[in-house]
Amino acid sequence: MSHLAPTIPPPRKLSRETRRTQVIEATIEVVATQGYARTTLTDVARKAGISHGLVNFHFKTKDALLAETLGYLSEEYRQNWASALAAAGPSPAEQLAAMLRADFEPAICTPTRLAAWLSFWGEAQSRPLYQDRCGENEQLYTNKLEQLCADLVRQGGYHGDPILIARVLRVTCEGVWVDLSSIINPYTPAEALQTVHAAAMAFFPKHFGATGLL
Amino acid sequence: MSHLAPTIPPPRKLSRETRRTQVIEATIEVVATQGYARTTLTDVARKAGISHGLVNFHFKTKDALLAETLGYLSEEYRQNWASALAAAGPSPAEQLAAMLRADFEPAICTPTRLAAWLSFWGEAQSRPLYQDRCGENEQLYTNKLEQLCADLVRQGGYHGDPILIARVLRVTCEGVWVDLSSIINPYTPAEALQTVHAAAMAFFPKHFGATGLL
DNA sequence: AGTTTCTGATTGACAGACCAGTCAGAATCT
DNA sequence: AGATTCTGACTGGTCTGTCAATCAGAAACT
């Protein structure tokens, strides 16, 4: 047994944050595949390769685990579009294009994460969980989108209510996400982005074309 | 006690279909308020004012009850837009306007039903339940919407892919529904319809204005 | 009309399964 | 040694589905 190659003994004892993240990722997968209602701690533990009791050691209750998982997804999402904005050019059109495109980046737009989001949307409405964990980030997103639309309407000489335009763009992104989760008509993330661009082009034809920013 | 007004003693023994519909309506309410995961047969029975065993008598299993409830909602939705189409004028623009407006009629667009729909969307993705019960109706809806958009693009001299336009309009309706279910930013069904009209106006400016059909 | 029979709806209690959370103790690290 | 992480078994509670008994009304019969 005394192989000289230690084959990286996977540290049985992981650091607190590493373990928690591992459990949260396992939770995302289980929720995505089984749905919220049928997710059990045993499933999560098995997926993470640890014992059931350990899940309760790191997260006091099942509700706490699910709440933290939702917060984790929400924060991941916020950071994704925030860094996309930071990397984009300064004009309203460039910023808006970056924000729309961010929703379909591979890190965010995976079948697993989409399905998990959908499960949380469906279940959270009854409890204040969703607002607690995502309300603030969602407000940030909406505010930013409305601000960019308002800037673009003004600078681009467009007409229409920026609030309504921002809302259409936002729910188009959301709705296309839902479409991607339903198995029957599986269009690609590229087609999804194309759909969002069709909407942007309808409102801002001088700045957006069928393939994105002009 | 012998009041001459019999106050219609609620027939203890109801006809099969009446009872089933009553249980399904109770299920919608319970799912809407408690969410899919926390819905129990006991809750449904209590809401319907009957015993727990009777629910299992009429619907063999809990899954069957939820599946039939989803089918009931789907069929109700389909009939709503189908009769709206039948009542509307024959031109593509009139038909399209009727279809968009149908989503926000009081019979369909209630907080309870919206919340129930959202719960089913979130939970059904993992199982083929949703496709079984709604796939066909959803396909009918999408096909009709795409056909109307194609007609309107052709006859109105517009540009753009009717498939993408129909998709944007469809997910806008869906997304606005989701917005109406989240408690924090409660805009009215009227504002919701206004949002959809903003989208229609962006694609078909010669036929749609801020308040609907021109 | 009154009685009996039949059918199918309805109830309440029960059994089996499952699950979240607890805990005592083992393993591991500092 | 002391602290922290981790395991696996156990518990208390809840939920689903089943079943025997009950009951209301319809149908058939006298």
Side-chain angles (χ1 to χ4, degrees):
Chain A
M1 238 358 120
S2 65
H3 252 212
L4 290 186
T7 59
I8 359 164
R12 162 170 171 169
K13 199 170 178 175
L14 288 176
S15 82
R16 187 173 182 78
E17 276 317 302
T18 308
R19 184 64 88 193
R20 287 173 62 90
T21 304
Q22 177 196 13
V23 174
I24 286 177
E25 288 286 347
T27 304
I28 292 173
E29 286 193 46
V30 173
V31 168
T33 54
Q34 315 215 345
Y36 192 105
R38 302 200 174 181
T39 293
T40 70
L41 292 187
T42 307
D43 293 328
V44 172
R46 188 184 307 129
K47 174 69 77 175
I50 59 178
S51 77
H52 162 193
L54 188 54
V55 177
N56 269 0
F57 173 77
H58 282 291
F59 304 88
K60 290 299 170 227
T61 68
K62 183 187 182 185
D63 281 347
L65 168 64
L66 290 165
E68 294 215 35
T69 301
L70 181 55
Y72 177 88
L73 282 172
S74 174
E75 190 56 21
E76 176 186 66
Y77 181 77
R78 188 194 63 78
Q79 286 179 11
N80 184 65
W81 64 257
S83 60
L85 278 188
S91 77
E94 286 171 309
Q95 292 267 297
L96 181 58
M99 209 156 174
L100 298 179
R101 194 174 47 240
D103 266 16
F104 304 96
E105 281 175 12
I108 292 290
C109 187
T110 69
T112 297
R113 269 164 163 71
L114 261 47
W117 268 114
L118 204 56
S119 286
F120 278 111
W121 285 346
E123 202 53 31
Q125 28 102 15
S126 44
R127 271 151 289 158
L129 171 67
Y130 188 80
Q131 289 303 335
D132 281 2
R133 298 285 163 165
C134 304
E136 193 176 342
N137 282 349
E138 193 167 302
Q139 197 61 50
L140 285 175
Y141 182 90
T142 302
N143 287 347
K144 190 69 191 175
L145 204 57
E146 290 176 353
Q147 175 210 318
L148 291 176
C149 287
D151 291 349
L152 190 49
V153 165
R154 187 164 11 90
Q155 296 183 22
Y158 293 109
H159 298 288
D161 183 351
I163 305 275
L164 294 185
I165 297 173
R167 192 182 290 161
V168 170
L169 293 178
R170 176 174 55 81
V171 299
T172 299
C173 289
E174 281 179 14
V176 163
W177 264 25
V178 174
D179 278 356
L180 291 180
S181 293
S182 42
I183 321 116
I184 279 223
N185 56 343
Y187 48 91
T188 62
E191 285 178 274
L193 185 54
Q194 194 185 354
T195 305
V196 176
H197 284 151
M201 182 170 56
F203 289 111
F204 307 119
K206 286 178 284 190
H207 293 81
F208 283 86
T211 59
L213 199 61
L214 288 179
Chain B
M1 239 352 126
S2 65
H3 251 215
L4 290 187
T7 59
I8 359 167
R12 166 174 168 157
K13 198 170 180 177
L14 288 177
S15 82
R16 187 174 180 79
E17 276 316 303
T18 309
R19 184 63 89 195
R20 286 172 62 89
T21 304
Q22 177 197 11
V23 173
I24 286 177
E25 287 285 348
T27 305
I28 293 174
E29 286 193 45
V30 173
V31 168
T33 54
Q34 315 214 341
Y36 194 105
R38 303 202 173 179
T39 294
T40 71
L41 293 186
T42 308
D43 292 329
V44 171
R46 189 184 305 127
K47 173 69 76 177
I50 60 178
S51 77
H52 155 201
L54 188 54
V55 177
N56 269 1
F57 173 77
H58 282 291
F59 305 87
K60 291 295 170 234
T61 67
K62 182 187 180 183
D63 281 345
L65 168 62
L66 290 165
E68 293 216 34
T69 301
L70 180 55
Y72 177 88
L73 281 173
S74 175
E75 190 56 21
E76 176 187 66
Y77 181 77
R78 189 193 63 77
Q79 286 179 10
N80 184 66
W81 65 256
S83 60
L85 278 188
S91 76
E94 287 171 308
Q95 292 266 298
L96 182 58
M99 209 156 175
L100 298 179
R101 196 174 45 241
D103 266 17
F104 303 96
E105 280 175 13
I108 292 290
C109 188
T110 70
T112 297
R113 270 162 164 72
L114 262 46
W117 269 113
L118 202 55
S119 285
F120 277 111
W121 285 346
E123 202 54 30
Q125 28 99 19
S126 43
R127 272 150 287 158
L129 170 67
Y130 188 80
Q131 290 302 335
D132 281 1
R133 298 286 163 166
C134 303
E136 194 176 341
N137 282 349
E138 192 167 303
Q139 197 61 49
L140 285 175
Y141 181 90
T142 301
N143 288 346
K144 190 69 191 173
L145 204 57
E146 289 175 354
Q147 176 210 319
L148 291 176
C149 286
D151 290 349
L152 190 50
V153 164
R154 185 162 13 88
Q155 296 183 20
Y158 293 109
H159 299 289
D161 182 351
I163 305 275
L164 294 185
I165 296 173
R167 191 182 290 161
V168 170
L169 293 178
R170 176 174 55 80
V171 301
T172 300
C173 289
E174 281 180 14
V176 162
W177 265 26
V178 174
D179 278 357
L180 290 180
S181 292
S182 43
I183 321 117
I184 279 225
N185 56 344
Y187 48 90
T188 63
E191 286 178 273
L193 185 54
Q194 194 185 355
T195 305
V196 176
H197 284 152
M201 181 170 58
F203 289 110
F204 306 120
K206 285 177 283 188
H207 295 81
F208 284 86
T211 60
L213 199 63
L214 288 180

